[in-house]
Amino acid sequence: MPDIEFTLGLARADVDIAPMRASEDSEDATLVSAISLGDEDAFSRFHRKYAPLVHGIALAKLPAGEADDVTQEVFLAAFRGIKSLRDPDAVGPWLVKLTRNHVAGFYRSRKISEELPDEIHDRHSHRHEAAEILLAIRSLPEAYSETLVLRLIEGMTGEEIATRTGLSSGSVRVNLHRGMDLLRKALGVEVKK
Amino acid sequence: MKTDYLWDKQGSDSEIERIETILSEYRYVPVPTPNVAPQKVVSPWRWLLPATAFAALLLTVLWIGSAPKSPVAVSKEVLAELVPAPAVAAVSETPAGTAVETPASARPANTRLMLTPIRAKVSSSRKRPIKSPTVALTDEEKYAYEQVVRALFITGTQLRSVHSAIACIEDHTTTDKNR
């Protein structure tokens, strides 16, 4: 029976987020067309809306300080390249892809082989625990790590993650639960039954 | 109904809430939007087209200004009257200082014309005689003119002798054939 419950749960979630996704799409299309015309206010709203998403994707791979910088760089690149966006409704997935490219470029240019000092702390401190969890999340496959960072760090709900990344709610739900199980294992916590 | 805190934050899950609290220090802190105001960069090529147009205009004006001007602007009406009549004549000065008119047909090609101003309006009922324009020749021009006339004379004489020689030959040929 768990399979049936799971399937029903997915179907309910898809139905729930459909109106939300439609309104987000129309809002995104308006923002994109305004930004294409050089509207700085629209870009400011766009930045406020999508900055947590971009930051979360960057943080899943980069040290915290670098993630902040890359986030700003991604938005500058987005402003320059938004005219080339064919589907204004797909601006979220486009931003995710742009962020991943910037992260890859960051590693290509700087060749970081170890964690930066800002995440190395006293083993018993609160910050050390946070760094340890973050490292454990980063060690997971990309689909899980990005989704978990967006949920646990950026505080987005599963619906919001699905709407902004363009993933289906089912995929996000699976990524969250499987990722959480893997994280617990990585942290040495017993997985709940 | 079973809640799913991981999915929609409904209900509670102590373990996930604790992880959220620990990781909250990494959460995105809103920062000002990157400055994307267009910076006005003046391209050096921006002035190329106006500068080229101005230079072209300046050159045109200079070229027009340096073009040779006719001594007198003659209207079409006056020209029509001037052309059929042999009004334009070359004038050469004799050693005694008296001006001698030369027909226009006999005027050398390099003779400088000096048209005197002519009244543009000519009444159709009574045409006033047009004052003949004069051509003043310098000493060198007069010498050249005389040389040209002599050359033409000699050439004409030779042509006549050649013509008569040919005529004689043709006569002899005809006579021989008749025989």
Side-chain angles (χ1 to χ4, degrees):
Chain A
M1 290 311 286
D3 288 343
I4 295 171
E5 281 178 15
F6 183 67
T7 311
L8 288 174
L10 283 184
R12 197 188 69 230
D14 280 336
V15 170
D16 287 347
I17 68 165
M20 180 183 171
R21 184 166 282 184
S23 67
E24 286 243 352
D25 285 351
S26 65
E27 186 190 347
D28 286 348
T30 310
L31 281 177
V32 168
S33 61
I35 294 166
S36 300
L37 297 171
D39 187 341
E40 290 176 37
D41 290 337
F43 181 67
S44 188
R45 275 182 278 140
F46 177 73
H47 179 256
R48 276 198 300 275
K49 181 179 176 181
Y50 280 103
L53 173 71
V54 172
H55 183 261
I57 300 292
L59 190 64
K61 292 272 175 19
L62 296 174
E66 304 297 341
D68 292 338
D69 293 344
V70 166
T71 301
Q72 294 293 82
E73 288 172 15
V74 166
F75 275 97
L76 284 172
F79 184 80
R80 287 193 295 268
I82 207 159
K83 286 178 185 172
S84 66
L85 184 61
R86 290 177 187 173
D87 181 11
D89 296 336
V91 69
W94 178 68
L95 267 181
V96 170
K97 195 175 174 185
L98 198 63
T99 309
R100 285 178 186 152
N101 288 341
H102 269 73
V103 169
F106 178 86
Y107 274 106
R108 272 199 301 273
S109 61
R110 305 192 194 180
K111 294 183 179 176
I112 294 176
S113 56
E114 56 185 359
E115 281 300 320
L116 295 183
D118 70 329
E119 285 166 11
I120 299 172
H121 307 288
D122 181 12
R123 285 190 172 276
H124 300 289
S125 71
H126 184 78
R127 294 197 71 182
H128 171 74
E129 197 175 3
E132 208 171 40
I133 296 172
L134 185 59
L135 282 175
I137 291 173
R138 284 178 186 156
S139 68
L140 302 178
E142 186 180 78
Y144 301 149
S145 63
E146 286 180 356
T147 313
L148 282 179
V149 167
L150 293 175
R151 170 63 189 86
L152 299 174
I153 298 179
E154 304 300 344
M156 297 164 72
T157 64
E159 290 173 358
E160 288 170 339
I161 295 168
T163 308
R164 298 198 181 166
T165 58
L167 293 171
S168 69
S169 56
S171 298
V172 173
R173 188 186 285 267
V174 168
N175 289 344
L176 279 176
H177 285 279
R178 287 187 185 167
M180 198 64 210
D181 287 346
L182 290 173
L183 179 62
R184 286 190 187 105
K185 282 182 187 171
L187 294 173
V189 180
E190 194 180 339
V191 179
K192 286 183 181 177
K193 297 291 180 183
Chain B
M1 185 176 149
K2 189 181 177 183
T3 57
D4 187 356
Y5 181 77
L6 189 61
W7 170 254
D8 54 11
K9 295 186 182 178
Q10 300 295 315
S12 66
D13 186 318
S14 58
E15 183 201 8
I16 295 174
E17 285 172 333
R18 182 178 157 271
I19 291 174
E20 283 181 307
T21 308
I22 292 170
L23 292 176
S24 62
E25 67 178 271
Y26 292 119
R27 183 170 291 182
Y28 174 72
V29 179
V31 293
T33 308
N35 183 23
V36 290
Q39 295 175 352
K40 291 180 180 176
V41 179
V42 180
S43 167
W45 299 104
R46 188 182 172 188
W47 301 104
L48 184 66
L49 186 64
T52 309
F54 178 74
L57 183 69
L58 192 66
L59 285 173
T60 308
V61 168
L62 287 174
W63 180 73
I64 290 170
S66 65
K69 292 175 184 173
S70 58
V72 176
V74 183
S75 67
K76 287 180 181 177
E77 218 178 326
V78 176
L79 262 179
E81 288 180 334
L82 280 173
V83 171
V88 180
V91 177
S92 59
E93 288 179 9
T94 57
T98 55
V100 176
E101 278 195 2
T102 313
S105 57
R107 193 178 71 235
N110 59 349
T111 306
R112 185 157 44 91
L113 288 177
M114 291 183 65
L115 298 177
T116 53
I118 297 168
R119 287 174 190 156
K121 285 187 179 178
V122 180
S123 65
S124 56
S125 58
R126 184 185 138 212
K127 291 182 180 178
R128 277 184 282 183
I130 298 169
K131 194 176 179 181
S132 300
T134 57
V135 177
L137 298 177
T138 61
D139 291 342
E140 292 171 354
E141 287 170 342
K142 274 187 282 182
Y143 176 75
Y145 172 72
E146 285 165 6
Q147 293 300 317
V148 168
V149 170
R150 279 178 193 164
L152 285 172
F153 176 74
I154 293 165
T155 310
T157 310
Q158 286 179 340
L159 280 172
R160 270 194 297 275
S161 61
V162 168
H163 181 260
S164 57
I166 290 169
C168 285
I169 291 167
E170 283 178 347
D171 287 342
H172 285 297
T173 314
T174 315
T175 317
D176 291 341
K177 278 182 181 176
N178 291 335
R179 285 178 186 174

